[in-house]
Amino acid sequence: MFNSISMTQMAATIALAMGAGVPSQADRSIPLVDAFVERNLGVRKADRVLLYNPDCVGLWLYQKYTDLFIPVTNATQLAVPVSTVNPSWTPVCFGTMYTGVLPEVHGIQGYTKPVITVDSLFDSLARSGKRVALVAVENSSMAIIFQNRPIDYFIVPYDDAATEKGLELIAQDRHDVVVVYNQEYDDMIHRTTPESPQAMEALKHHIRDFGRLTGAARAHWADHDTLVCWATDHGNHVDWRGRGTHGEYRPEDINVMHFYGVYPKK
C-alpha cells in the first residue's frame, strides 16, 4: 500500500552523492540511488547538484498522467518511489526531506513553520565546504523552516521568479548546490481540485520548469559531474467538500515519485 523507501533517506543520499557529511541524525541513504550514482560516476562524486522541489505532486498523478512527465523522464534516468511522512503537510515533509529524521525529531508535526534547529543537509553541506543556494517563494515553508543556515537565500514573490533565479544561479556557476522550490500546483489544488484545468496547468508549469532548469545544468555545468533531482514533498486527494487537500495517512498523500539524473562531466 505504501512505498518502502522513506523520505528520511533522501538527505543522506544527496550528501553521499557529493562526498559530503551526512546530517548528524539522518537515516541511511537509498541504496538504489547510491548504486546509480556510482555506476555513472565511478569513484568520482557529484560536484554540482540541482534539487527541484515542486509541491504536492503525488505518485498517482505520475501513474495516471504518465505522458505529461516526459520532460522529467527525459532529464533523468532513475525513478524512485518514496513514502513521505505523516502528517503529510508541506513543512512536515520538507522538514524530514532535508534533515533525514522523522517529524517527532525535527519538531514540526502539523501545519506550522518554526525554524528547524536539528542538523540538516544545509548544515552538513556547509560544514563540508559546499556552497548552497536556496530559492523559495516568500512565506512558503521552504523560505522559513531552514533559515539561519550558512547558505545563500533567494526569497522571491512566486514560482516564475524562483525558476528564473534558479536559471541565473546555474548560469553563474558559483554554487555547488541549487535548490528551487515551486508551489503553484499545491495552491491550485486547494482552490479547486487536483485534476481541475487550473491545477493541471500548474503541474505542466512545474514539469516545464524542471526541463528548463535541467537543460541549463547540462549547458552551464558541463565541466562538472552533476546530479539533478525532482523531489516533491507529498501527494493529495479530494476531501468531502470536493476540494483538493492532503495531510492524511493514505496512499494518495503519502506515496510520491522522485526522479534522479546524473550528467557526467565532458
Side-chain angles (χ1 to χ4, degrees):
M1 187 178 242
F2 296 103
N3 296 331
S4 61
I5 297 171
S6 172
M7 188 72 82
T8 59
Q9 296 176 255
M10 181 176 159
T13 300
I14 300 302
L16 292 178
M18 299 193 74
V22 173
S24 60
Q25 299 180 72
D27 195 1
R28 68 189 182 99
S29 61
I30 304 170
L32 182 67
V33 181
D34 297 340
F36 166 69
V37 173
E38 183 178 359
R39 188 192 73 193
N40 283 276
L41 297 181
V43 298
R44 304 197 309 271
K45 299 295 183 180
D47 60 324
R48 290 292 181 273
V49 172
L50 167 67
L51 298 173
Y52 182 63
N53 294 142
D55 203 314
C56 197
V57 185
L59 171 61
W60 71 266
L61 277 167
Y62 174 68
Q63 293 171 321
K64 186 171 182 178
Y65 299 101
T66 308
D67 287 351
L68 286 183
F69 287 81
I70 289 173
V72 177
T73 57
N74 280 349
T76 56
Q77 303 97 25
L78 181 66
V80 181
V82 172
S83 283
T84 194
V85 288
N86 186 53
S88 47
W89 294 110
T90 299
V92 182
C93 299
F94 278 126
T96 289
M97 183 186 296
Y98 284 101
T99 62
V101 300
L102 292 170
E104 54 264 36
V105 179
H106 65 63
I108 303 179
Q109 300 186 67
Y111 194 76
T112 60
K113 302 177 185 179
V115 175
I116 288 175
T117 58
V118 303
D119 202 34
S120 72
L121 181 62
F122 300 112
D123 299 299
S124 66
L125 290 177
R127 286 196 301 270
S128 299
K130 306 299 182 182
R131 299 158 297 176
V132 181
L134 172 57
V135 186
V137 177
E138 59 189 3
N139 298 318
S140 68
S141 298
M142 283 296 287
I144 297 172
I145 66 174
F146 293 111
Q147 284 290 326
N148 305 328
R149 267 67 186 189
I151 65 175
D152 295 326
Y153 297 92
F154 300 89
I155 309 305
V156 298
Y158 205 56
D159 285 6
D160 287 348
T163 300
E164 292 302 322
K165 178 55 71 173
L167 292 169
E168 177 186 329
L169 293 170
I170 292 169
Q172 291 172 347
D173 194 17
R174 296 174 184 167
H175 293 87
D176 304 297
V177 181
V178 175
V179 180
V180 178
Y181 167 79
N182 278 176
Q183 69 179 56
E184 184 186 4
Y185 179 72
D186 185 73
D187 289 342
M188 288 301 106
I189 73 111
H190 287 296
R191 295 175 191 173
T192 58
T193 66
E195 297 175 90
S196 71
Q198 300 96 316
M200 295 305 293
E201 192 64 23
L203 175 61
K204 292 175 184 176
H205 293 163
H206 295 333
I207 292 169
R208 175 201 66 196
D209 288 348
F210 183 66
R212 295 177 66 204
L213 289 162
T214 54
R218 286 184 186 274
H220 297 291
W221 290 350
D223 293 331
H224 300 281
D225 289 316
T226 297
L227 175 69
V228 301
C229 181
W230 164 293
T232 190
D233 53 343
H234 56 72
N236 61 69
H237 66 276
V238 177
D239 69 9
W240 60 273
R241 304 168 302 166
R243 292 288 182 89
T245 192
H246 50 87
E248 299 182 15
Y249 190 63
R250 54 195 291 168
E252 303 99 306
D253 289 9
I254 298 294
N255 288 339
V256 297
M257 187 73 90
H258 287 185
F259 298 88
Y260 289 84
V262 168
Y263 310 152
K265 63 184 176 183
K266 296 182 179 178

